[in-house]
Amino acid sequence: MAEKKPYAYYKFIGVKSFTKLLEDSGIGYLLFDDPAVPRLFDERTDYFNPAEDSIAVGKCTQDGVEVYFAEFGIKITKSFRSYIVFIYDHHPTFEDLDGSAADIDGLIQQHLEGVDLSGIQGEAN
């Protein structure tokens, strides 16, 4: 049996943050000043740098929907972050965020398996 994940869904967003996408769509949300965020930066210093990366925990507030999210922005170039969002059916705990963060590398690898790099590599030559 597969291990139960703390999140219900995840999605690679790209260089536009999930919160920006919500704003652009007119969907209300609330960000929490969640103590789990600085703790995650403190405990995963090998992965997250608070000067370059971002982590936001929030809740969509549209039409009584109870959807919580954690948005991870990982700096990929001097000017851009790449975002991945995890969706939860509850306010994520530190353990939920830590478990989600632990999955990021594997999810990136799975995501890249479906990408044809031949066109990208050919442009560099």
Side-chain angles (χ1 to χ4, degrees), residues 64-112:
V65 174
E66 291 286 315
V67 176
Y68 295 83
F69 62 87
E71 170 189 275
F72 292 82
I74 311 297
K75 189 162 187 176
I76 56 171
T77 69
K78 193 173 197 177
S79 305
F80 292 102
R81 290 184 183 131
S82 182
Y83 292 90
I84 181 172
V85 65
F86 292 90
I87 305 296
Y88 308 86
D89 62 1
H90 61 281
H91 187 122
T93 63
F94 170 78
E95 289 74 20
D96 294 336
L97 295 175
D98 190 52
S100 300
D103 282 356
I104 291 175
D105 276 339
L107 294 172
I108 290 171
Q109 290 304 316
Q110 281 180 313
H111 186 71
L112 290 177

mmCIF file of all heavy atoms in Angstrom, residues 64-112:
data_model
loop_
_atom_site.group_PDB
_atom_site.id
_atom_site.type_symbol
_atom_site.label_atom_id
_atom_site.label_comp_id
_atom_site.label_asym_id
_atom_site.label_seq_id
_atom_site.Cartn_x
_atom_site.Cartn_y
_atom_site.Cartn_z
ATOM 1 N N GLY A 64 -16.843 30.080 0.838
ATOM 2 C CA GLY A 64 -16.852 29.116 1.929
ATOM 3 C C GLY A 64 -16.031 27.861 1.694
ATOM 4 O O GLY A 64 -16.180 26.880 2.411
ATOM 5 N N VAL A 65 -15.153 27.866 0.691
ATOM 6 C CA VAL A 65 -14.310 26.709 0.395
ATOM 7 C C VAL A 65 -13.222 26.600 1.470
ATOM 8 O O VAL A 65 -12.621 27.597 1.857
ATOM 9 C CB VAL A 65 -13.666 26.851 -1.007
ATOM 10 C CG1 VAL A 65 -12.671 25.744 -1.266
ATOM 11 C CG2 VAL A 65 -14.749 26.872 -2.071
ATOM 12 N N GLU A 66 -12.981 25.407 1.945
ATOM 13 C CA GLU A 66 -11.943 25.160 2.947
ATOM 14 C C GLU A 66 -10.760 24.450 2.290
ATOM 15 O O GLU A 66 -10.589 23.248 2.448
ATOM 16 C CB GLU A 66 -12.502 24.318 4.093
ATOM 17 C CG GLU A 66 -13.503 25.038 4.957
ATOM 18 C CD GLU A 66 -12.868 26.069 5.873
ATOM 19 O OE1 GLU A 66 -11.838 25.771 6.504
ATOM 20 O OE2 GLU A 66 -13.405 27.193 5.962
ATOM 21 N N VAL A 67 -9.987 25.181 1.523
ATOM 22 C CA VAL A 67 -8.817 24.615 0.858
ATOM 23 C C VAL A 67 -7.587 25.363 1.351
ATOM 24 O O VAL A 67 -7.507 26.583 1.238
ATOM 25 C CB VAL A 67 -8.931 24.725 -0.682
ATOM 26 C CG1 VAL A 67 -7.667 24.227 -1.353
ATOM 27 C CG2 VAL A 67 -10.137 23.949 -1.175
ATOM 28 N N TYR A 68 -6.657 24.632 1.893
ATOM 29 C CA TYR A 68 -5.410 25.196 2.398
ATOM 30 C C TYR A 68 -4.300 24.886 1.403
ATOM 31 O O TYR A 68 -4.370 23.902 0.670
ATOM 32 C CB TYR A 68 -5.074 24.595 3.764
ATOM 33 C CG TYR A 68 -6.074 24.970 4.825
ATOM 34 C CD1 TYR A 68 -7.264 24.265 4.972
ATOM 35 C CD2 TYR A 68 -5.832 26.043 5.674
ATOM 36 C CE1 TYR A 68 -8.187 24.624 5.941
ATOM 37 C CE2 TYR A 68 -6.746 26.404 6.642
ATOM 38 C CZ TYR A 68 -7.922 25.690 6.775
ATOM 39 O OH TYR A 68 -8.838 26.048 7.727
ATOM 40 N N PHE A 69 -3.273 25.723 1.419
ATOM 41 C CA PHE A 69 -2.168 25.509 0.494
ATOM 42 C C PHE A 69 -0.845 25.898 1.126
ATOM 43 O O PHE A 69 -0.792 26.696 2.067
ATOM 44 C CB PHE A 69 -2.382 26.288 -0.815
ATOM 45 C CG PHE A 69 -2.440 27.786 -0.664
ATOM 46 C CD1 PHE A 69 -1.279 28.552 -0.682
ATOM 47 C CD2 PHE A 69 -3.658 28.431 -0.498
ATOM 48 C CE1 PHE A 69 -1.337 29.928 -0.544
ATOM 49 C CE2 PHE A 69 -3.724 29.805 -0.360
ATOM 50 C CZ PHE A 69 -2.559 30.562 -0.384
ATOM 51 N N ALA A 70 0.209 25.322 0.584
ATOM 52 C CA ALA A 70 1.580 25.724 0.903
ATOM 53 C C ALA A 70 2.266 25.936 -0.438
ATOM 54 O O ALA A 70 2.277 25.043 -1.291
ATOM 55 C CB ALA A 70 2.306 24.666 1.710
ATOM 56 N N GLU A 71 2.785 27.132 -0.610
ATOM 57 C CA GLU A 71 3.455 27.514 -1.854
ATOM 58 C C GLU A 71 4.952 27.597 -1.573
ATOM 59 O O GLU A 71 5.383 28.333 -0.701
ATOM 60 C CB GLU A 71 2.919 28.878 -2.276
ATOM 61 C CG GLU A 71 3.669 29.527 -3.393
ATOM 62 C CD GLU A 71 3.198 30.959 -3.595
ATOM 63 O OE1 GLU A 71 2.210 31.159 -4.295
ATOM 64 O OE2 GLU A 71 3.843 31.877 -3.020
ATOM 65 N N PHE A 72 5.727 26.805 -2.307
ATOM 66 C CA PHE A 72 7.186 26.814 -2.175
ATOM 67 C C PHE A 72 7.758 27.482 -3.418
ATOM 68 O O PHE A 72 7.493 27.039 -4.538
ATOM 69 C CB PHE A 72 7.730 25.388 -2.075
ATOM 70 C CG PHE A 72 7.362 24.672 -0.803
ATOM 71 C CD1 PHE A 72 6.130 24.052 -0.660
ATOM 72 C CD2 PHE A 72 8.257 24.625 0.258
ATOM 73 C CE1 PHE A 72 5.788 23.393 0.502
ATOM 74 C CE2 PHE A 72 7.928 23.962 1.434
ATOM 75 C CZ PHE A 72 6.691 23.344 1.559
ATOM 76 N N GLY A 73 8.527 28.543 -3.220
ATOM 77 C CA GLY A 73 9.207 29.222 -4.317
ATOM 78 C C GLY A 73 10.696 28.971 -4.205
ATOM 79 O O GLY A 73 11.330 29.405 -3.248
ATOM 80 N N ILE A 74 11.240 28.258 -5.170
ATOM 81 C CA ILE A 74 12.656 27.886 -5.155
ATOM 82 C C ILE A 74 13.379 28.735 -6.199
ATOM 83 O O ILE A 74 13.016 28.721 -7.373
ATOM 84 C CB ILE A 74 12.842 26.391 -5.494
ATOM 85 C CG1 ILE A 74 11.910 25.503 -4.669
ATOM 86 C CG2 ILE A 74 14.306 25.984 -5.356
ATOM 87 C CD1 ILE A 74 12.131 25.546 -3.189
ATOM 88 N N LYS A 75 14.404 29.459 -5.761
ATOM 89 C CA LYS A 75 15.155 30.317 -6.686
ATOM 90 C C LYS A 75 15.870 29.453 -7.712
ATOM 91 O O LYS A 75 16.624 28.549 -7.368
ATOM 92 C CB LYS A 75 16.140 31.184 -5.929
ATOM 93 C CG LYS A 75 16.769 32.228 -6.819
ATOM 94 C CD LYS A 75 17.389 33.326 -6.022
ATOM 95 C CE LYS A 75 17.850 34.418 -6.954
ATOM 96 N NZ LYS A 75 18.379 35.536 -6.237
ATOM 97 N N ILE A 76 15.616 29.761 -8.998
ATOM 98 C CA ILE A 76 16.231 28.966 -10.070
ATOM 99 C C ILE A 76 17.208 29.781 -10.905
ATOM 100 O O ILE A 76 18.077 29.215 -11.558
ATOM 101 C CB ILE A 76 15.161 28.326 -10.981
ATOM 102 C CG1 ILE A 76 14.219 29.381 -11.554
ATOM 103 C CG2 ILE A 76 14.397 27.248 -10.232
ATOM 104 C CD1 ILE A 76 13.268 28.873 -12.615
ATOM 105 N N THR A 77 17.054 31.096 -10.914
ATOM 106 C CA THR A 77 18.001 31.975 -11.598
ATOM 107 C C THR A 77 18.144 33.221 -10.732
ATOM 108 O O THR A 77 17.466 33.362 -9.714
ATOM 109 C CB THR A 77 17.511 32.414 -13.002
ATOM 110 O OG1 THR A 77 16.396 33.295 -12.859
ATOM 111 C CG2 THR A 77 17.147 31.225 -13.871
ATOM 112 N N LYS A 78 18.984 34.128 -11.174
ATOM 113 C CA LYS A 78 19.197 35.370 -10.429
ATOM 114 C C LYS A 78 17.894 36.145 -10.220
ATOM 115 O O LYS A 78 17.703 36.795 -9.199
ATOM 116 C CB LYS A 78 20.204 36.231 -11.198
ATOM 117 C CG LYS A 78 20.749 37.376 -10.430
ATOM 118 C CD LYS A 78 21.852 38.054 -11.242
ATOM 119 C CE LYS A 78 22.672 38.934 -10.332
ATOM 120 N NZ LYS A 78 23.784 39.548 -11.017
ATOM 121 N N SER A 79 16.984 36.063 -11.178
ATOM 122 C CA SER A 79 15.764 36.865 -11.153
ATOM 123 C C SER A 79 14.474 36.094 -10.901
ATOM 124 O O SER A 79 13.439 36.710 -10.684
ATOM 125 C CB SER A 79 15.609 37.595 -12.490
ATOM 126 O OG SER A 79 16.753 38.344 -12.777
ATOM 127 N N PHE A 80 14.501 34.761 -10.970
ATOM 128 C CA PHE A 80 13.248 34.004 -10.930
ATOM 129 C C PHE A 80 13.253 32.888 -9.897
ATOM 130 O O PHE A 80 14.274 32.267 -9.656
ATOM 131 C CB PHE A 80 12.949 33.380 -12.299
ATOM 132 C CG PHE A 80 12.621 34.382 -13.356
ATOM 133 C CD1 PHE A 80 13.574 34.737 -14.295
ATOM 134 C CD2 PHE A 80 11.369 34.980 -13.413
ATOM 135 C CE1 PHE A 80 13.285 35.669 -15.282
ATOM 136 C CE2 PHE A 80 11.071 35.908 -14.394
ATOM 137 C CZ PHE A 80 12.026 36.254 -15.326
ATOM 138 N N ARG A 81 12.049 32.649 -9.374
ATOM 139 C CA ARG A 81 11.776 31.471 -8.562
ATOM 140 C C ARG A 81 10.837 30.584 -9.359
ATOM 141 O O ARG A 81 10.020 31.063 -10.132
ATOM 142 C CB ARG A 81 11.067 31.844 -7.257
ATOM 143 C CG ARG A 81 11.912 32.569 -6.263
ATOM 144 C CD ARG A 81 11.111 32.795 -4.980
ATOM 145 N NE ARG A 81 11.884 33.553 -4.025
ATOM 146 C CZ ARG A 81 11.437 34.612 -3.385
ATOM 147 N NH1 ARG A 81 10.214 35.051 -3.571
ATOM 148 N NH2 ARG A 81 12.215 35.235 -2.531
ATOM 149 N N SER A 82 10.922 29.300 -9.131
ATOM 150 C CA SER A 82 9.958 28.355 -9.669
ATOM 151 C C SER A 82 9.092 27.904 -8.506
ATOM 152 O O SER A 82 9.594 27.633 -7.417
ATOM 153 C CB SER A 82 10.670 27.157 -10.294
ATOM 154 O OG SER A 82 9.727 26.276 -10.847
ATOM 155 N N TYR A 83 7.780 27.833 -8.747
ATOM 156 C CA TYR A 83 6.840 27.559 -7.669
ATOM 157 C C TYR A 83 6.202 26.193 -7.808
ATOM 158 O O TYR A 83 5.868 25.751 -8.907
ATOM 159 C CB TYR A 83 5.736 28.624 -7.646
ATOM 160 C CG TYR A 83 6.250 29.980 -7.240
ATOM 161 C CD1 TYR A 83 6.713 30.880 -8.188
ATOM 162 C CD2 TYR A 83 6.304 30.344 -5.905
ATOM 163 C CE1 TYR A 83 7.198 32.123 -7.819
ATOM 164 C CE2 TYR A 83 6.790 31.582 -5.523
ATOM 165 C CZ TYR A 83 7.238 32.465 -6.486
ATOM 166 O OH TYR A 83 7.731 33.693 -6.116
ATOM 167 N N ILE A 84 6.025 25.561 -6.658
ATOM 168 C CA ILE A 84 5.237 24.349 -6.542
ATOM 169 C C ILE A 84 4.263 24.589 -5.391
ATOM 170 O O ILE A 84 4.637 25.174 -4.362
ATOM 171 C CB ILE A 84 6.108 23.091 -6.311
ATOM 172 C CG1 ILE A 84 5.247 21.831 -6.225
ATOM 173 C CG2 ILE A 84 6.988 23.232 -5.102
ATOM 174 C CD1 ILE A 84 6.034 20.523 -6.197
ATOM 175 N N VAL A 85 3.021 24.194 -5.603
ATOM 176 C CA VAL A 85 2.009 24.383 -4.574
ATOM 177 C C VAL A 85 1.470 23.016 -4.160
ATOM 178 O O VAL A 85 1.298 22.125 -4.988
ATOM 179 C CB VAL A 85 0.870 25.316 -5.046
ATOM 180 C CG1 VAL A 85 0.089 24.712 -6.184
ATOM 181 C CG2 VAL A 85 -0.051 25.688 -3.901
ATOM 182 N N PHE A 86 1.261 22.866 -2.858
ATOM 183 C CA PHE A 86 0.641 21.672 -2.298
ATOM 184 C C PHE A 86 -0.711 22.083 -1.733
ATOM 185 O O PHE A 86 -0.828 23.128 -1.089
ATOM 186 C CB PHE A 86 1.510 21.078 -1.180
ATOM 187 C CG PHE A 86 2.807 20.510 -1.676
ATOM 188 C CD1 PHE A 86 3.938 21.299 -1.761
ATOM 189 C CD2 PHE A 86 2.901 19.182 -2.064
ATOM 190 C CE1 PHE A 86 5.139 20.788 -2.228
ATOM 191 C CE2 PHE A 86 4.096 18.663 -2.533
ATOM 192 C CZ PHE A 86 5.218 19.466 -2.609
ATOM 193 N N ILE A 87 -1.723 21.266 -1.970
ATOM 194 C CA ILE A 87 -3.081 21.536 -1.517
ATOM 195 C C ILE A 87 -3.422 20.548 -0.403
ATOM 196 O O ILE A 87 -3.138 19.346 -0.521
ATOM 197 C CB ILE A 87 -4.092 21.378 -2.685
ATOM 198 C CG1 ILE A 87 -3.698 22.262 -3.870
ATOM 199 C CG2 ILE A 87 -5.514 21.648 -2.213
ATOM 200 C CD1 ILE A 87 -3.726 23.745 -3.611
ATOM 201 N N TYR A 88 -4.056 21.070 0.645
ATOM 202 C CA TYR A 88 -4.422 20.264 1.819
ATOM 203 C C TYR A 88 -5.905 20.463 2.126
ATOM 204 O O TYR A 88 -6.462 21.507 1.818
ATOM 205 C CB TYR A 88 -3.620 20.701 3.057
ATOM 206 C CG TYR A 88 -2.131 20.747 2.843
ATOM 207 C CD1 TYR A 88 -1.521 21.884 2.321
ATOM 208 C CD2 TYR A 88 -1.332 19.662 3.165
ATOM 209 C CE1 TYR A 88 -0.146 21.934 2.126
ATOM 210 C CE2 TYR A 88 0.045 19.707 2.968
ATOM 211 C CZ TYR A 88 0.628 20.844 2.450
ATOM 212 O OH TYR A 88 1.978 20.904 2.252
ATOM 213 N N ASP A 89 -6.485 19.484 2.800
ATOM 214 C CA ASP A 89 -7.873 19.619 3.249
ATOM 215 C C ASP A 89 -7.948 20.099 4.700
ATOM 216 O O ASP A 89 -9.012 20.089 5.315
ATOM 217 C CB ASP A 89 -8.633 18.300 3.072
ATOM 218 C CG ASP A 89 -8.049 17.156 3.890
ATOM 219 O OD1 ASP A 89 -7.052 17.358 4.629
ATOM 220 O OD2 ASP A 89 -8.585 16.034 3.790
ATOM 221 N N HIS A 90 -6.812 20.527 5.238
ATOM 222 C CA HIS A 90 -6.709 21.018 6.613
ATOM 223 C C HIS A 90 -5.534 21.997 6.667
ATOM 224 O O HIS A 90 -4.713 22.031 5.752
ATOM 225 C CB HIS A 90 -6.465 19.849 7.576
ATOM 226 C CG HIS A 90 -5.182 19.111 7.272
ATOM 227 N ND1 HIS A 90 -5.085 18.180 6.240
ATOM 228 C CD2 HIS A 90 -3.943 19.195 7.813
ATOM 229 C CE1 HIS A 90 -3.842 17.723 6.192
ATOM 230 N NE2 HIS A 90 -3.126 18.319 7.123
ATOM 231 N N HIS A 91 -5.472 22.769 7.745
ATOM 232 C CA HIS A 91 -4.316 23.656 7.916
ATOM 233 C C HIS A 91 -3.091 22.761 8.127
ATOM 234 O O HIS A 91 -3.052 21.981 9.072
ATOM 235 C CB HIS A 91 -4.521 24.572 9.128
ATOM 236 C CG HIS A 91 -3.466 25.608 9.255
ATOM 237 N ND1 HIS A 91 -3.745 26.949 9.264
ATOM 238 C CD2 HIS A 91 -2.116 25.530 9.356
ATOM 239 C CE1 HIS A 91 -2.626 27.638 9.376
ATOM 240 N NE2 HIS A 91 -1.624 26.790 9.440
ATOM 241 N N PRO A 92 -2.094 22.859 7.251
ATOM 242 C CA PRO A 92 -0.950 21.954 7.365
ATOM 243 C C PRO A 92 -0.118 22.240 8.605
ATOM 244 O O PRO A 92 0.147 23.393 8.950
ATOM 245 C CB PRO A 92 -0.146 22.226 6.091
ATOM 246 C CG PRO A 92 -0.558 23.581 5.640
ATOM 247 C CD PRO A 92 -1.973 23.768 6.104
ATOM 248 N N THR A 93 0.273 21.169 9.260
ATOM 249 C CA THR A 93 1.146 21.253 10.424
ATOM 250 C C THR A 93 2.595 21.344 9.945
ATOM 251 O O THR A 93 2.872 21.185 8.744
ATOM 252 C CB THR A 93 1.011 19.982 11.280
ATOM 253 O OG1 THR A 93 1.452 18.853 10.504
ATOM 254 C CG2 THR A 93 -0.437 19.767 11.737
ATOM 255 N N PHE A 94 3.520 21.534 10.879
ATOM 256 C CA PHE A 94 4.932 21.511 10.507
ATOM 257 C C PHE A 94 5.277 20.173 9.853
ATOM 258 O O PHE A 94 5.986 20.123 8.855
ATOM 259 C CB PHE A 94 5.849 21.755 11.714
ATOM 260 C CG PHE A 94 7.292 21.482 11.377
ATOM 261 C CD1 PHE A 94 8.027 22.413 10.657
ATOM 262 C CD2 PHE A 94 7.899 20.283 11.721
ATOM 263 C CE1 PHE A 94 9.343 22.151 10.288
ATOM 264 C CE2 PHE A 94 9.209 20.018 11.364
ATOM 265 C CZ PHE A 94 9.937 20.961 10.650
ATOM 266 N N GLU A 95 4.773 19.083 10.427
ATOM 267 C CA GLU A 95 5.070 17.756 9.886
ATOM 268 C C GLU A 95 4.529 17.610 8.461
ATOM 269 O O GLU A 95 5.175 16.995 7.612
ATOM 270 C CB GLU A 95 4.496 16.675 10.804
ATOM 271 C CG GLU A 95 5.224 16.526 12.130
ATOM 272 C CD GLU A 95 4.940 17.649 13.139
ATOM 273 O OE1 GLU A 95 3.912 18.361 12.994
ATOM 274 O OE2 GLU A 95 5.759 17.816 14.061
ATOM 275 N N ASP A 96 3.352 18.180 8.197
ATOM 276 C CA ASP A 96 2.798 18.156 6.843
ATOM 277 C C ASP A 96 3.700 18.914 5.877
ATOM 278 O O ASP A 96 3.991 18.435 4.774
ATOM 279 C CB ASP A 96 1.404 18.784 6.811
ATOM 280 C CG ASP A 96 0.361 17.990 7.577
ATOM 281 O OD1 ASP A 96 0.529 16.767 7.758
ATOM 282 O OD2 ASP A 96 -0.630 18.615 8.001
ATOM 283 N N LEU A 97 4.125 20.113 6.279
ATOM 284 C CA LEU A 97 4.993 20.930 5.418
ATOM 285 C C LEU A 97 6.340 20.253 5.208
ATOM 286 O O LEU A 97 6.876 20.244 4.098
ATOM 287 C CB LEU A 97 5.190 22.322 6.015
ATOM 288 C CG LEU A 97 3.940 23.192 6.095
ATOM 289 C CD1 LEU A 97 4.256 24.492 6.829
ATOM 290 C CD2 LEU A 97 3.375 23.472 4.722
ATOM 291 N N ASP A 98 6.874 19.671 6.267
ATOM 292 C CA ASP A 98 8.161 18.988 6.179
ATOM 293 C C ASP A 98 8.062 17.778 5.251
ATOM 294 O O ASP A 98 8.943 17.544 4.423
ATOM 295 C CB ASP A 98 8.631 18.582 7.576
ATOM 296 C CG ASP A 98 10.057 18.087 7.587
ATOM 297 O OD1 ASP A 98 10.950 18.796 7.063
ATOM 298 O OD2 ASP A 98 10.298 16.988 8.138
ATOM 299 N N GLY A 99 6.977 17.032 5.365
ATOM 300 C CA GLY A 99 6.760 15.883 4.484
ATOM 301 C C GLY A 99 6.594 16.301 3.035
ATOM 302 O O GLY A 99 7.106 15.644 2.126
ATOM 303 N N SER A 100 5.894 17.404 2.815
ATOM 304 C CA SER A 100 5.725 17.927 1.458
ATOM 305 C C SER A 100 7.072 18.376 0.898
ATOM 306 O O SER A 100 7.409 18.075 -0.248
ATOM 307 C CB SER A 100 4.732 19.096 1.458
ATOM 308 O OG SER A 100 3.474 18.673 1.936
ATOM 309 N N ALA A 101 7.839 19.101 1.711
ATOM 310 C CA ALA A 101 9.159 19.570 1.291
ATOM 311 C C ALA A 101 10.069 18.390 0.955
ATOM 312 O O ALA A 101 10.830 18.448 -0.019
ATOM 313 C CB ALA A 101 9.789 20.438 2.375
ATOM 314 N N ALA A 102 9.960 17.319 1.733
ATOM 315 C CA ALA A 102 10.788 16.138 1.490
ATOM 316 C C ALA A 102 10.456 15.493 0.145
ATOM 317 O O ALA A 102 11.306 14.835 -0.461
ATOM 318 C CB ALA A 102 10.608 15.127 2.616
ATOM 319 N N ASP A 103 9.238 15.697 -0.332
ATOM 320 C CA ASP A 103 8.826 15.109 -1.607
ATOM 321 C C ASP A 103 9.241 15.939 -2.823
ATOM 322 O O ASP A 103 9.179 15.444 -3.952
ATOM 323 C CB ASP A 103 7.302 14.951 -1.644
ATOM 324 C CG ASP A 103 6.813 13.753 -0.846
ATOM 325 O OD1 ASP A 103 7.655 12.993 -0.326
ATOM 326 O OD2 ASP A 103 5.580 13.585 -0.749
ATOM 327 N N ILE A 104 9.651 17.180 -2.625
ATOM 328 C CA ILE A 104 9.907 18.073 -3.756
ATOM 329 C C ILE A 104 10.932 17.502 -4.728
ATOM 330 O O ILE A 104 10.704 17.480 -5.943
ATOM 331 C CB ILE A 104 10.298 19.490 -3.285
ATOM 332 C CG1 ILE A 104 9.085 20.175 -2.653
ATOM 333 C CG2 ILE A 104 10.838 20.330 -4.445
ATOM 334 C CD1 ILE A 104 9.377 21.534 -2.030
ATOM 335 N N ASP A 105 12.056 17.015 -4.236
ATOM 336 C CA ASP A 105 13.088 16.476 -5.140
ATOM 337 C C ASP A 105 12.546 15.334 -5.992
ATOM 338 O O ASP A 105 12.758 15.288 -7.202
ATOM 339 C CB ASP A 105 14.315 16.000 -4.358
ATOM 340 C CG ASP A 105 15.282 17.114 -4.047
ATOM 341 O OD1 ASP A 105 15.257 18.152 -4.730
ATOM 342 O OD2 ASP A 105 16.083 16.936 -3.104
ATOM 343 N N GLY A 106 11.847 14.394 -5.361
ATOM 344 C CA GLY A 106 11.286 13.268 -6.099
ATOM 345 C C GLY A 106 10.246 13.704 -7.110
ATOM 346 O O GLY A 106 10.187 13.174 -8.225
ATOM 347 N N LEU A 107 9.424 14.689 -6.744
ATOM 348 C CA LEU A 107 8.407 15.192 -7.665
ATOM 349 C C LEU A 107 9.052 15.899 -8.853
ATOM 350 O O LEU A 107 8.581 15.765 -9.986
ATOM 351 C CB LEU A 107 7.448 16.135 -6.938
ATOM 352 C CG LEU A 107 6.580 15.481 -5.859
ATOM 353 C CD1 LEU A 107 5.814 16.532 -5.077
ATOM 354 C CD2 LEU A 107 5.641 14.453 -6.462
ATOM 355 N N ILE A 108 10.137 16.625 -8.605
ATOM 356 C CA ILE A 108 10.866 17.277 -9.699
ATOM 357 C C ILE A 108 11.412 16.215 -10.652
ATOM 358 O O ILE A 108 11.293 16.338 -11.869
ATOM 359 C CB ILE A 108 11.995 18.181 -9.166
ATOM 360 C CG1 ILE A 108 11.396 19.417 -8.478
ATOM 361 C CG2 ILE A 108 12.954 18.584 -10.280
ATOM 362 C CD1 ILE A 108 12.402 20.268 -7.727
ATOM 363 N N GLN A 109 11.989 15.158 -10.097
ATOM 364 C CA GLN A 109 12.538 14.084 -10.934
ATOM 365 C C GLN A 109 11.440 13.436 -11.763
ATOM 366 O O GLN A 109 11.623 13.202 -12.957
ATOM 367 C CB GLN A 109 13.248 13.036 -10.079
ATOM 368 C CG GLN A 109 14.537 13.522 -9.475
ATOM 369 C CD GLN A 109 15.508 14.040 -10.520
ATOM 370 O OE1 GLN A 109 15.712 13.441 -11.571
ATOM 371 N NE2 GLN A 109 16.109 15.176 -10.244
ATOM 372 N N GLN A 110 10.279 13.166 -11.149
ATOM 373 C CA GLN A 110 9.147 12.588 -11.889
ATOM 374 C C GLN A 110 8.698 13.536 -12.996
ATOM 375 O O GLN A 110 8.418 13.106 -14.108
ATOM 376 C CB GLN A 110 7.965 12.343 -10.959
ATOM 377 C CG GLN A 110 8.069 11.116 -10.114
ATOM 378 C CD GLN A 110 6.829 10.983 -9.237
ATOM 379 O OE1 GLN A 110 6.393 11.935 -8.596
ATOM 380 N NE2 GLN A 110 6.271 9.797 -9.214
ATOM 381 N N HIS A 111 8.644 14.811 -12.684
ATOM 382 C CA HIS A 111 8.210 15.816 -13.641
ATOM 383 C C HIS A 111 9.177 15.888 -14.828
ATOM 384 O O HIS A 111 8.749 15.977 -15.973
ATOM 385 C CB HIS A 111 8.111 17.174 -12.937
ATOM 386 C CG HIS A 111 7.538 18.261 -13.773
ATOM 387 N ND1 HIS A 111 6.216 18.315 -14.123
ATOM 388 C CD2 HIS A 111 8.112 19.354 -14.335
ATOM 389 C CE1 HIS A 111 6.000 19.387 -14.862
ATOM 390 N NE2 HIS A 111 7.131 20.031 -15.010
ATOM 391 N N LEU A 112 10.472 15.822 -14.533
ATOM 392 C CA LEU A 112 11.481 15.912 -15.592
ATOM 393 C C LEU A 112 11.518 14.671 -16.470
ATOM 394 O O LEU A 112 11.927 14.753 -17.629
ATOM 395 C CB LEU A 112 12.862 16.174 -14.989
ATOM 396 C CG LEU A 112 13.068 17.558 -14.391
ATOM 397 C CD1 LEU A 112 14.441 17.668 -13.755
ATOM 398 C CD2 LEU A 112 12.869 18.644 -15.437
#
